[in-house]
Amino acid sequence: YFIATDLSEKMLELHPAKKNVQCLRADFNSDKFAVKLRDISIDTLISSSALQWSSDLFQTAEQLSSLGARTYVSLFTDGTFETLLGMEGVESPVLAAEKVEKILSCFFEIRKSEKVSSRLEFASVREMFRYIKKSGVSGGEARLDYRRAKNLLETYPLDYLEFELFFAILEPKKSFSRA
């Protein structure tokens, strides 16, 4: 049995309509997020490329751990778009892998973790920017005005984007401590 949770109704519509799939609209930034899931027996939680947008990862991790399930996570971390953000003097909107690990370790035993850096190559800088806009990797937030974006489009020196991800397998702790 699979339960898909997302804040976006459009994302939930992507899941196939089957009797063993349930879609639940929920916001992990809400302090009531885990309440929606408490009456459901959950043995495994999986979060892929979502928790980096948590407005309070400490609160979100606490809620997830309260469900008592083994948890698998992947989050983009602050090495993502490093050159792009650095050229514009823009601070990364996501946390450093070390900070993510420290927060998660307050509520979970980290069974295994890994920080992975990778590149995604593009035929042109224009294609790269189109990817950023359509993929959601920017968190849906425009950080540059038109003039700065145009200048960056003309001067960006690489034909790839950098990504940094943090992966972890987590077991909830019986008790936790603040980082």
Side-chain angles (χ1 to χ4, degrees), residues 78-152:
D78 69 341
T80 299
F81 302 163
E82 187 172 38
T83 300
L84 182 70
L85 296 173
M87 285 181 67
E88 286 302 310
V90 176
E91 187 176 321
S92 177
V94 295
L95 299 172
E98 296 75 20
K99 179 70 174 174
V100 169
E101 187 166 24
K102 186 175 182 182
I103 291 170
L104 293 175
S105 70
C106 293
F107 305 101
F108 294 96
E109 295 292 336
I110 298 178
R111 297 293 182 216
K112 186 174 181 181
S113 68
E114 184 175 7
K115 182 170 76 170
V116 176
S117 296
S118 67
R119 294 179 176 181
L120 183 59
E121 295 185 12
F122 295 89
S124 70
V125 175
R126 185 171 302 285
E127 287 299 315
M128 188 183 314
F129 277 82
R130 195 170 288 132
Y131 167 81
I132 292 169
K133 184 176 181 180
K134 290 185 175 185
S135 69
V137 297
S138 65
E141 193 174 317
R143 299 190 191 289
L144 300 177
D145 61 34
Y146 175 77
R147 182 185 56 76
R148 287 175 62 198
K150 184 174 188 259
N151 181 57
L152 191 56

Side-chain angles (χ1 to χ4, degrees), residues 8-139:
S8 167
E9 202 65 51
K10 285 184 178 184
M11 290 302 291
L12 291 172
E13 290 170 3
L14 296 175
H15 292 282
K18 295 183 178 179
K19 64 182 176 183
N20 63 342
V21 175
Q22 176 185 349
C23 292
L24 177 64
R25 189 167 182 272
D27 179 1
F28 61 66
N29 285 312
S30 165
D31 59 357
K32 304 283 190 252
F33 174 72
V35 173
K36 288 187 171 195
L37 299 171
R38 283 222 174 94
D39 294 334
I40 303 167
S41 176
I42 298 171
D43 59 0
T44 305
L45 290 170
I46 302 169
S47 176
S48 177
S49 305
L51 294 180
Q52 70 268 3
W53 303 123
S54 174
S55 60
D56 182 348
L57 186 57
F58 191 88
Q59 174 188 304
T60 301
E62 180 178 19
Q63 288 194 77
L64 292 176
S65 72
S66 75
L67 298 171
R70 173 171 274 204
T71 302
Y72 298 81
V73 296
S74 69
L75 296 88
F76 287 103
T77 54
D78 69 341
T80 299
F81 302 163
E82 187 172 38
T83 300
L84 182 70
L85 296 173
M87 285 181 67
E88 286 302 310
V90 176
E91 187 176 321
S92 177
V94 295
L95 299 172
E98 296 75 20
K99 179 70 174 174
V100 169
E101 187 166 24
K102 186 175 182 182
I103 291 170
L104 293 175
S105 70
C106 293
F107 305 101
F108 294 96
E109 295 292 336
I110 298 178
R111 297 293 182 216
K112 186 174 181 181
S113 68
E114 184 175 7
K115 182 170 76 170
V116 176
S117 296
S118 67
R119 294 179 176 181
L120 183 59
E121 295 185 12
F122 295 89
S124 70
V125 175
R126 185 171 302 285
E127 287 299 315
M128 188 183 314
F129 277 82
R130 195 170 288 132
Y131 167 81
I132 292 169
K133 184 176 181 180
K134 290 185 175 185
S135 69
V137 297
S138 65

